[in-house]
Amino acid sequence: MLGAGLGAALLKVGDVAPEKPELAERRVTATTQAPVATPANPEPVASAGGAPFSRRERQVLEQVAAGATSAEIAERLHISIHTVKNHRKSILRKAGCRNSGQLVSRCAALGLL
């Protein structure tokens, strides 16, 4: 079964419950749909609150704008340095930026800082 792939495994699940074949069909259809393409450099999309970032991401962004390192941010916010790095990556991705300098200038221009 391992060599047959995910589609075969899902079909096996459908074979076990013949009384509900529509569930097996739905599972296979859901896994075979093509992924949605995203632009290489997306513009940040404003949410109802006016920013695409979570509350914690905004806290990290404010610390980045103040010039704090990931270790300093982790200490100030009482979170792991790995969590800070993940937040930074997420913020950069959402803002469509490549580095912290570009991020801070874009967010300042949009009035997020």
Side-chain angles (χ1 to χ4, degrees):
M1 185 162 97
L2 290 177
L6 182 60
L10 291 175
L11 288 176
K12 296 289 184 193
V13 170
D15 292 342
V16 173
E19 65 278 358
K20 295 191 178 189
E22 68 278 359
L23 294 178
E25 182 179 326
R26 199 174 324 150
R27 286 185 198 119
V28 172
T29 303
T31 60
T32 58
Q33 293 175 350
V36 178
T38 57
N41 195 6
E43 288 296 318
V45 178
S47 66
F53 307 121
S54 68
R55 179 183 59 81
R56 183 61 94 179
E57 288 171 341
R58 287 187 60 94
Q59 291 173 337
V60 171
L61 175 60
E62 289 169 3
Q63 294 294 317
V64 169
T69 66
S70 291
E72 292 168 338
I73 295 169
E75 187 176 319
R76 291 175 188 167
L77 298 180
H78 306 287
I79 57 177
S80 162
I81 191 167
H82 301 292
T83 303
V84 173
K85 290 179 181 182
N86 284 331
H87 283 308
R88 289 177 77 130
K89 282 191 274 187
S90 177
I91 293 166
L92 288 169
R93 179 184 46 80
K94 287 179 180 182
C97 297
R98 293 183 183 191
N99 57 50
S100 297
Q102 185 182 25
L103 173 69
V104 171
S105 62
R106 179 171 288 172
C107 289
L110 292 172
L112 298 176
L113 292 175

